[in-house]
Amino acid sequence: MQSFRKKKKGRKLLLHLNRLTFLSQRPLGAVFFLFFLAALFGCSSQTTPSEQTSASSAFSEPAYGDRFVTGSIGEPKNLIPILASDSASQSIVGMVFNGLVKYNEKVELTGDLAEGWEIEREGLDIIFHLRRNVRWHDGHPFTADDVVFTYQKLIDPTIKTPYSGDFERIAHLEKIDEDTVKVTYKEPFSPALSSWGMSIMPKHLLEKEDFNKTSFSRHPIGTGPYRFKRWKTGEFVELEANPDYFEGRPYIDGTLYRIIPDQATLFLELRTEGVDSLDLTPLQYQRQTESDFFRRTYRKYRYPAFAYTYIGYNLIDPRFRDIRIRKALTLAVNRKEMIDGILLGLGRECTGPFVPESWAYNPEVRPLSYDLEEAKRLLAEAGWRDTDGDGWLDKNGEIFEFTLITNQGNEQRQMVAELVQRQWQKLGIRVKIRIIEWAAFLSEFIDKKRFEAFILGWALSRDPDLYDIWHSSKTREGEFNFIQYKNVEVDRLIEEGRRTFDQEKRKEIYHRLHRIIYEEQPCTFLYVPDALPIVHARVKGVKPSPIGIGYNFIKWYVPKNEQKYVTR
Amino acid sequence: MRRYLLKQLIGRIPLLFGITVITFMVIHLAPGKPTTLQTELNPKVSYEARVRLEKLYGLDKPLPVQYGRWLSRLVRLDFGTSFQDDRPVLDKIMERIPITLLIELLSLVLIFLLAIPIGVASAVRKDSFFDKAITLFVFIGFAAPGFWIALLLMEFFGVTLGWLPVSGIRSFGSENLSLMEQALDLGKHLILPVFISAFGGLAGLSRYMRGNMLNVIQQDYIRTARAKGLPERVVIYKHALRNALLPVVTLLGLSLPGLIGGSVIAEAIFGIPGMGRLFFDSVMARDYPVIMGILFIGAVLTLLGNLLADIAYGWVDPRIRIIGEEGIKE
C-alpha cells in the first residue's frame, strides 16, 4: 500500500507538470511542459555562474555532431500536430513541424514558415507571405495548399482536434498564389496572429488519410529542424537533424526523448549522465545539485515560468462575494514566507493574471502586504467577530469555516494548503483541507463548481488574451472561469483587448485589466514559480533570454573534443 | 475428460459476461472524463471542441448503449481503439506483453526456486535460528515498500558502483550489437526489476510451503515411512515434499493472470514499457477501451488459470479425480 501511494506521488507529479501547459514559441500549437522542453521554451533568465575551464574554451568552436538526451515523464500520444494535446507529443511536434509564426527570444511574434504578414481592414484580414523553397522532410515543396489543408482539418467536425476554437472565428481562408494565403475573420481577433503558430501539416501526405488511423501519428513528416527517426513505445523517441532546415542545419545531430515515468528515476539518470537535461524541483536545485560532480558536469538555469499558482474562491458563495473578506484572506497570507519555505526562494510574488515577463504585466500593481491587523479589521467590518470567545469568527451564530481543496500528488500545493490553513487560523477562520485525485478533482469538484475554495495554477499563453479564464460567459461546465468571476468592465476590456491589434493600445487595456482584477481580489494570487532547467555542461551556445533557453536549440553545439555520442 | 472441459468452458462464459458488465460499470462510475484529462486544462481548448470530442468518442451516449457497442465489437474480437492515441487496443497490449511476460516469468521461476527450498528447510528445522532468520528476511521483503528498495538498489548499483543501468530495458543503440551482447545488455537491465518483483513475492510462497510441509510431516503416512526405517532424507524429500507440493500447483495456476499483469511500481520506477504501466496510465487518463481490454484479458486468464489448476490438481494428486457425466468411472 505504501509503495502504491508513493508510486502515485511520482505519477501525480507528472500530472502536475502536465497541467502547467505552456504555450511555447509556437504559440498555439505547442502546449509545452515543465520537463525538459518546457525549460527550453520558458521565459527570461538568470544563469548560475558557469565556470568555464580554459581547456574547453580553446576547443569551444561550434561543431556538428553529438546527441542531446532528455527525459520525458509521459509517453507521447499522437504526433499529428492538430491532435497532439499532451506535453510530450507537443515538444516533439515542436521540433518536427513549424507554424506560420513563432515567438522570438524577446517574446515577440516573428515569421516562421511565413516570411511576413500584413494586417488589413483593422484586423479582419491577415495576409501571410510564405517562405519559398521550404521542403518537407520527404523533399516535397511546402506551399500555400498545406496551410489551406491544415485549416480545413482544424475545422473539420469529424476530427478529434482540441484546437478548433481560434480557427472557428475565421470566415474564410483563401490561397492567393503558391506563397500567399489570405485569412478573413468574422470580426477582428487579435490573438489570431499568435494562433497561427499552429504547426502546418503536409497536404500531400495526409490528404487521403483517415486521421484516426493514419500511421502519420507515429511517423510524422514536417518542415522543422529535426526529422522523426523512430519511436520505441515506452522507451524513447529519436529525432535526427534536418540538414536542409531553412534556418540552417542544427549543430546537434540528434535528440533523444527517453520515456522515464518516475521523477526519482529521472534524477538518478541525471546523476549517471543518462539524460542531458532535466527540470529540477526547488529542492533539487538548492540542495541536491550542489556537489562537485554537478558543478563540473552540468549548468543550472533559472528564470520565471510563464505560470502562477493561486487560491480560487467560489464567488457565488455569499461570504466570498464580499470583497472585504477576499481581501482579508489575501492580507493574511504571508506570500514571502510561502515562497521562501515552499519554493526555497525560487519564485516571485504574483500580482495578477499576468507574469512579469509578459508585456501585458502592469509593474505599477503592487502586491498587498502581509497585514493581519488590517485583515481582522476588514472581517470585523463585514460582520465576522468572535462573539463567543471560542477562537473562531462567527456571524449570526455560524462559524467562519470552509473547505480548501486541491489535487493529490502536487506536494507544493499541499504545502500551500497547510500554510494558509495555519495563517487563516490566526484570523479565526477554520479551514479544512481535502486532497482529491486529479481526474475526480477536475470533473466532480472544479467543473461542477462544488467547492468553496481551491488551489490551482495556470500556465499562460504568450498572448495575454484573458477571455477564456476571466470573461463572465466562460462559466459553463468544462470552461475555465471556475470561480465565476463577473465584472462588466472587465468583460468589456477583455473584448476590446481581443479586437485591438495595436500593441501599445492593447498594453494599456491589459494594464487596466491587471489593476482591476488585483483590486477585486477574486482569488488570492500566490506566486510565479521559477523554471529550473539543468543542462549538461558539454552543450554550449545556451543563451538565456526572456523566452527561456530553448528558442535557439538549433544553435546549441558540443565542441568536437567533448562530443559524447557518435551519431553518424 | 473432453466433455468435462467443454462443459467447464461453456459454464464460464456467463461468468465472463458478468465480469465485463461489472467492470464496465465500475470504470465508468469513477469520476473524471477522458476528454478533460486529455486536454490538460488548456484554456485554448474551447467548450465546443470538448463537446465535439465527447461526441466523437461516443461518450455522449447512455452507458448501456456504450456497453452494447463495446460488446458487439468484442464478439468480433475487436477491442476498439485507445482514446489517447487512436491506436487499436490489441496492438497496444500486444507490444507490451513480451517484456512483462519475460520479467514476470523470470521472477516467478526465481520465487519458486527460492521459496520452496526455504519453506521446506524452515519446516524441517521449525523454530530453529535458521527458521527465524529466514522468516525475518522474507517478511522484510514482503513488508518493505518495493519502490524504496528499488531506489536504494538503483542508487547503489547504478550510481555509486555504476555496475548496472538505472532504468530502461536496453542501452540506446544496442540493436547494433551482436545477439550475445544484446542478451547480456537486456540481462543487465533486468536484474534489478526481476529481483524487486521476486523479493516481494518470496514471503507468501515460502510461508505457504512451510505450512504445507509441517502439515504433511504430521501425517500418518510419514510416520509409517519413518517406522519403516527409511532415511530421513527420503522421508522428507520423497514422501513429504511431493505431497506438500500439491497445493502449490493451484498457486501456479492462479498466477497465470499475474504473468501479464505486470507490476505498476517496478515498471514505472525502472522505466519498463510493460503492461502494468499501460494499465496504470490508461486508468489515470480514463482511457476506457484500453482499461476494458486489459481487464477482459485478465478475466479470461483468471478463469482459464482456475480451470488449469483444477485439471492439474487432479493430474498430480491421484486422490483426486475429475468426475465426468458417467460417474466415477474416469
Side-chain angles (χ1 to χ4, degrees):
Chain A
M1 188 56 211
Q2 223 170 343
S3 50
F4 189 62
R5 220 181 300 139
K6 158 65 194 186
K7 162 59 209 145
K8 273 194 157 168
K9 214 180 274 171
R11 165 72 197 187
K12 276 352 247 313
L13 218 54
L14 129 78
L15 285 172
H16 150 63
L17 298 181
N18 286 358
R19 192 157 325 120
L20 291 173
T21 53
F22 279 77
L23 295 193
S24 73
Q25 257 194 324
R26 316 246 149 75
L28 192 134
V31 187
F32 280 105
F33 262 24
L34 270 186
F35 65 81
F36 163 64
L37 272 178
L40 293 185
F41 297 100
C43 21
S44 103
S45 61
Q46 189 180 336
T47 329
T48 49
S50 59
E51 324 113 50
Q52 271 203 332
T53 58
S54 52
S56 75
S57 54
F59 287 95
S60 64
E61 313 242 304
Y64 294 108
D66 212 349
R67 180 183 298 122
F68 192 78
V69 185
T70 66
S72 162
I73 265 222
E75 163 108 27
K77 287 170 184 155
N78 191 321
L79 300 179
I80 300 177
I82 64 171
L83 298 184
S85 56
D86 59 295
S87 53
S89 310
Q90 290 286 356
S91 37
I92 293 166
V93 164
M95 297 290 252
V96 176
F97 293 88
N98 297 92
L100 293 183
V101 299
K102 66 176 179 186
Y103 280 101
N104 67 9
E105 69 272 24
K106 291 179 220 126
V107 205
E108 298 159 343
L109 273 176
T110 148
D112 200 3
L113 280 174
E115 245 164 10
W117 59 86
E118 284 136 36
I119 294 164
E120 287 180 353
R121 294 201 292 146
E122 291 183 349
L124 275 178
D125 295 338
I126 304 179
I127 297 165
F128 287 106
H129 301 285
L130 306 181
R131 220 180 252 268
R132 282 164 219 213
N133 303 322
V134 174
R135 284 176 185 279
W136 294 98
H137 296 153
D138 64 355
H140 204 274
F142 157 77
T143 68
D145 290 323
D146 297 312
V147 181
V148 177
F149 173 75
T150 302
Y151 164 67
Q152 284 166 347
K153 290 295 167 189
L154 274 163
I155 57 160
D156 181 339
T158 64
I159 286 178
K160 295 168 185 161
T161 176
Y163 301 116
S164 52
D166 283 347
F167 298 90
E168 303 281 1
R169 315 184 137 264
I170 294 171
H172 52 91
L173 182 146
E174 61 187 301
K175 165 185 167 187
I176 299 203
D177 57 42
E178 288 302 309
D179 328 296
T180 321
V181 283
K182 179 172 157 190
V183 193
T184 306
Y185 281 82
K186 295 171 189 158
E187 55 192 347
F189 179 55
S190 51
L193 206 49
S194 87
S195 74
W196 282 103
M198 186 63 179
S199 297
I200 302 298
M201 305 182 295
K203 180 184 181 187
H204 68 284
L205 292 171
L206 284 168
E207 200 174 15
K208 296 195 178 70
E209 294 286 319
D210 173 352
F211 270 49
N212 296 335
K213 297 206 178 90
T214 176
S215 62
F216 194 87
S217 66
R218 289 175 70 83
H219 301 276
I221 289 172
T223 49
Y226 283 84
R227 294 192 298 217
F228 176 85
K229 194 167 172 194
R230 63 195 169 131
W231 176 354
K232 285 242 181 233
T233 308
E235 291 183 66
F236 61 80
V237 176
E238 188 185 4
L239 307 179
E240 59 183 359
N242 171 9
D244 308 317
Y245 186 52
F246 57 78
E247 282 184 350
R249 173 182 158 191
Y251 285 116
I252 294 180
D253 271 346
T255 55
L256 187 71
Y257 297 79
R258 289 184 59 190
I259 298 149
I260 301 167
D262 186 84
Q263 285 285 347
T265 310
L266 263 174
F267 193 68
L268 288 177
E269 285 286 358
L270 190 75
R271 286 175 58 192
T272 53
E273 297 177 64
V275 292
D276 291 325
S277 84
L278 183 68
D279 244 24
L280 302 177
T281 62
L283 191 67
Q284 288 169 341
Y285 186 94
Q286 296 286 45
R287 309 273 156 79
Q288 296 170 337
T289 49
E290 287 295 303
S291 64
D292 284 344
F293 165 76
F294 272 104
R295 283 173 194 281
R296 224 173 29 241
T297 323
Y298 290 97
R299 300 273 173 270
K300 289 193 273 191
Y301 300 89
R302 173 186 168 192
Y303 48 83
F306 241 69
Y308 64 83
T309 298
Y310 66 99
I311 303 174
Y313 305 107
N314 192 333
L315 300 177
I316 301 296
D317 188 311
R319 288 171 299 179
F320 297 124
R321 218 183 288 154
D322 190 333
I323 182 173
R324 289 170 300 192
I325 289 179
R326 302 194 304 259
K327 214 169 157 188
L329 290 172
T330 301
L331 284 167
V333 173
N334 190 341
R335 283 140 284 154
K336 287 229 164 62
E337 185 188 302
M338 187 177 281
I339 291 166
D340 288 342
I342 297 172
L343 298 179
L344 305 178
L346 302 169
R348 284 190 279 180
E349 262 185 84
C350 175
T351 63
F354 302 117
V355 295
E357 267 52 45
S358 165
W359 51 264
Y361 178 84
N362 185 346
E364 284 161 26
V365 178
R366 307 303 316 162
L368 289 177
S369 49
Y370 171 62
D371 191 339
L372 267 183
E373 290 317 306
E374 174 69 4
K376 282 180 185 155
R377 197 187 63 72
L378 282 168
L379 284 167
E381 204 181 298
W384 291 95
R385 290 188 177 81
D386 183 11
T387 54
D388 50 8
D390 64 352
W392 305 112
L393 297 181
D394 55 79
K395 183 178 172 181
N396 306 332
E398 270 185 59
I399 290 182
F400 199 138
E401 80 180 323
F402 61 89
T403 306
L404 178 64
I405 59 175
T406 192
N407 61 290
Q408 189 192 48
N410 188 322
E411 278 174 76
Q412 270 179 19
R413 287 184 196 155
Q414 292 176 23
M415 287 192 275
V416 167
E418 283 158 24
L419 197 70
V420 297
Q421 182 185 42
R422 221 167 43 234
Q423 296 184 334
W424 286 340
Q425 192 182 346
K426 289 184 195 156
L427 290 180
I429 296 174
R430 183 147 71 185
V431 177
K432 280 188 241 159
I433 298 173
R434 236 184 116 182
I435 313 281
I436 303 158
E437 186 259 348
W438 178 240
F441 173 73
L442 277 188
S443 65
E444 296 306 306
F445 294 87
I446 298 297
D447 272 358
K448 296 206 166 79
K449 322 280 191 285
R450 284 192 206 134
F451 58 82
E452 290 172 300
F454 64 84
I455 304 172
L456 260 180
W458 276 120
L460 304 171
S461 57
R462 304 287 173 206
D463 188 90
D465 182 21
L466 294 180
Y467 195 82
D468 294 303
I469 299 176
W470 295 96
H471 195 274
S472 64
S473 69
K474 289 290 176 184
T475 55
R476 277 180 295 181
E477 191 175 332
E479 291 187 317
F480 301 101
N481 187 353
F482 311 128
I483 57 173
Q484 301 164 83
Y485 178 64
K486 194 171 262 187
N487 178 317
V488 184
E489 161 121 57
V490 166
D491 280 358
R492 193 183 58 75
L493 285 169
I494 289 177
E495 287 160 28
E496 198 181 320
R498 61 190 342 219
R499 270 198 309 269
T500 310
F501 273 81
D502 183 296
Q503 181 148 334
E504 279 311 305
K505 281 190 196 145
R506 268 190 103 186
K507 196 168 171 172
E508 266 174 49
I509 295 169
Y510 290 117
H511 281 195
R512 277 178 68 194
L513 274 169
H514 189 167
R515 181 184 296 280
I516 297 172
I517 290 176
Y518 199 66
E519 276 168 6
E520 289 238 298
Q521 289 288 318
C523 44
T524 294
F525 293 97
L526 297 173
Y527 55 75
V528 177
D530 284 337
L532 306 166
I534 190 167
V535 178
H536 201 281
R538 74 178 195 283
V539 179
K540 320 285 185 209
V542 184
K543 290 206 179 93
S545 84
I547 201 165
I549 57 172
Y551 66 94
N552 70 337
F553 185 75
I554 63 169
K555 299 283 178 218
W556 292 14
Y557 64 91
V558 180
K560 264 277 171 288
N561 62 323
E562 290 186 56
Q563 293 192 358
K564 180 174 168 192
Y565 300 98
V566 182
T567 45
R568 53 189 68 220
Chain B
M1 184 70 183
R2 198 178 300 153
R3 211 160 169 176
Y4 167 81
L5 264 184
L6 205 67
K7 210 178 141 197
Q8 284 292 319
L9 280 176
I10 291 171
R12 278 166 211 236
I13 286 176
L15 197 58
L16 195 59
F17 178 76
I19 292 174
T20 64
V21 173
I22 293 170
T23 46
F24 195 86
M25 264 166 46
V26 169
I27 62 171
H28 280 84
L29 278 177
K33 280 190 215 155
T35 46
T36 318
L37 296 163
Q38 202 176 29
T39 49
E40 295 177 352
L41 215 58
N42 178 356
K44 284 285 167 199
V45 179
S46 67
Y47 177 76
E48 288 72 19
R50 248 211 251 184
V51 171
R52 192 170 90 183
L53 282 178
E54 267 168 38
K55 206 169 157 217
L56 289 170
Y57 288 129
L59 292 170
D60 53 339
K61 301 271 183 312
L63 268 193
V65 177
Q66 290 186 41
Y67 178 74
R69 287 183 170 187
W70 180 80
L71 195 66
S72 74
R73 277 200 308 266
L74 183 76
V75 293
R76 284 172 272 144
L77 285 182
D78 175 6
F79 285 84
T81 54
S82 160
F83 285 168
Q84 290 188 83
D85 56 11
D86 283 319
R87 294 178 63 218
V89 170
L90 211 55
D91 288 10
K92 290 188 78 156
I93 293 177
M94 290 324 277
E95 76 189 1
R96 282 167 183 264
I97 279 185
I99 186 69
T100 295
L101 200 61
L102 179 64
I103 292 177
E104 296 299 320
L105 263 179
L106 286 175
S107 83
L108 193 71
V109 168
L110 196 63
I111 289 176
F112 275 82
L113 279 183
L114 292 176
I116 291 175
I118 288 177
V120 172
S122 359
V124 171
R125 267 161 255 171
K126 184 165 171 279
D127 295 332
S128 67
F129 174 75
F130 170 82
D131 182 25
K132 285 181 177 147
I134 205 82
T135 304
L136 184 71
F137 174 75
V138 297
F139 273 96
I140 286 175
F142 182 67
F147 77 89
W148 180 67
I149 298 194
L151 285 173
L152 287 183
L153 292 176
M154 281 155 89
E155 163 112 30
F156 185 66
F157 289 104
V159 181
T160 313
L161 296 178
W163 289 354
L164 296 174
V166 172
S167 72
I169 53 166
R170 69 189 108 198
S171 307
F172 185 76
S174 67
E175 59 276 5
N176 301 329
L177 301 172
S178 73
L179 218 57
M180 251 330 269
E181 286 167 317
Q182 278 193 45
L184 200 69
D185 183 56
L186 181 70
K188 269 183 154 182
H189 281 85
L190 292 188
I191 289 177
L192 290 180
V194 168
F195 175 76
I196 289 297
S197 122
F199 193 35
L202 219 49
L205 187 67
S206 63
R207 294 266 96 192
Y208 190 63
M209 198 57 218
R210 180 178 179 271
N212 281 341
M213 199 66 187
L214 284 175
N215 211 1
V216 169
I217 289 178
Q218 287 156 13
Q219 298 287 326
D220 289 345
Y221 57 82
I222 296 297
R223 200 182 316 137
T224 311
R226 285 198 175 123
K228 276 200 296 184
L230 288 175
E232 186 65 10
R233 203 164 38 85
V234 178
V235 174
I236 297 294
Y237 293 103
K238 187 151 180 235
H239 295 268
L241 179 61
R242 276 186 165 193
N243 283 296
L245 272 177
L246 292 177
V248 172
V249 172
T250 324
L251 278 191
L252 208 55
L254 293 179
S255 51
L256 190 65
L259 286 183
I260 68 139
S263 148
V264 174
I265 298 151
E267 288 184 1
I269 289 201
F270 290 106
I272 292 163
M275 289 290 287
R277 236 171 85 194
L278 178 68
F279 186 64
F280 188 75
D281 289 346
S282 306
V283 170
M284 293 324 270
R286 305 289 190 269
D287 190 346
Y288 301 138
V290 178
I291 304 175
M292 280 309 289
I294 296 174
L295 288 178
F296 180 77
I297 294 178
V300 169
L301 287 179
T302 308
L303 295 180
L304 223 59
N306 276 330
L307 184 62
L308 281 181
D310 286 355
I311 295 168
Y313 207 85
W315 178 57
V316 293
D317 189 345
R319 287 168 301 184
I320 294 168
R321 277 283 168 267
I322 290 159
I323 299 170
E325 296 257 297
E326 309 86 354
I328 315 179
K329 244 187 282 167
E330 199 170 355

